[in-house]
Amino acid sequence: MSDHKDPQSPVPSPVFPQGKTWDYKKREGIYESDVTALVRRLLEDESIREDQRSAWERWRNDPSGLQR
C-alpha cells in the first residue's frame, strides 16, 4: 500500500463543538488586524491546516474551472 495521498480524495473536515472559540493575540510592534491574528492562530491547529491544504489542492487541480 502506498503512502501517497490522492489530492482529489476528500479529507474529512474537522468538527468543533458549538461555541468553540480560539484565543488569539496580535503581534506586538507591527500592525495586525483581528482577522489576521485569528487566521494565524487557526492555522496553528494541525487539523485545520490539513483541511485547508487539501481544499486548496482540490481547487487548484480542478479542471472544471477552466471550462467555459
Side-chain angles (χ1 to χ4, degrees):
M1 181 157 256
S2 173
D3 288 336
H4 176 71
K5 292 182 180 178
D6 179 8
Q8 298 297 324
S9 66
V11 173
S13 295
V15 177
F16 299 100
Q18 185 175 0
K20 165 84 171 131
T21 60
W22 282 266
D23 296 324
Y24 63 91
K25 184 176 177 182
K26 292 183 183 182
R27 296 180 198 173
E28 294 183 21
I30 65 168
Y31 172 77
E32 183 173 50
S33 71
D34 289 340
V35 172
T36 302
L38 176 60
V39 169
R40 184 173 42 79
R41 175 68 175 105
L42 291 173
L43 291 176
E44 291 172 0
D45 184 314
E46 181 65 32
S47 62
I48 294 173
R49 186 172 47 241
E50 180 63 22
D51 179 61
Q52 292 302 300
R53 187 201 60 76
S54 297
W56 166 252
E57 289 296 326
R58 283 193 309 271
W59 178 82
R60 189 179 71 151
N61 294 313
D62 182 11
S64 68
L66 300 175
Q67 298 171 357
R68 289 187 176 234

